[in-house]
Amino acid sequence: MELQALSPAEQVDAQAPPTLVFVGDQDTFAPADGVTTLQARAREVGAQITVVEVPFAGHMIDGGLINGYAGSQLVRTTSLAWLTEVLEG
């Protein structure tokens, strides 16, 4: 019960800033269920959250932002587009 109270899904409210979350579809350390719960809760309270599933990626998108890695290309282009949209309103 105490750990559940620490979940981001329990903390999100309508005043949360726009949030971008990447999740590897092969992540066994932090499965996508937690992100799905967060996304559903954010929608309930009117918070803006964008979740992007990275195909064939594990935790930390398998190597972060290593140049040439397909996951890093997706993360970079999606992040740039998302930031542009959020900052320009």
Side-chain angles (χ1 to χ4, degrees):
M1 290 290 196
E2 292 176 9
L3 288 178
Q4 184 178 0
L6 297 174
S7 166
E10 297 296 321
Q11 304 299 318
V12 70
D13 61 25
Q15 287 74 41
T19 303
L20 175 62
V21 177
F22 291 97
V23 60
D25 71 350
Q26 304 296 312
D27 191 342
T28 57
F29 182 75
D33 293 354
V35 175
T36 303
T37 302
L38 172 61
Q39 186 177 32
R41 177 69 179 142
R43 285 182 180 151
E44 285 177 13
V45 300
Q48 179 187 345
I49 184 168
T50 302
V51 176
V52 177
E53 188 174 277
V54 181
F56 310 109
H59 194 65
M60 300 295 290
I61 316 300
D62 289 335
L65 300 177
I66 298 170
N67 289 332
Y69 172 68
S72 71
Q73 294 171 21
L74 174 65
V75 169
R76 287 178 182 178
T77 58
T78 303
S79 296
L80 179 59
W82 182 86
L83 283 168
T84 301
E85 179 181 326
V86 168
L87 294 174
E88 291 180 355

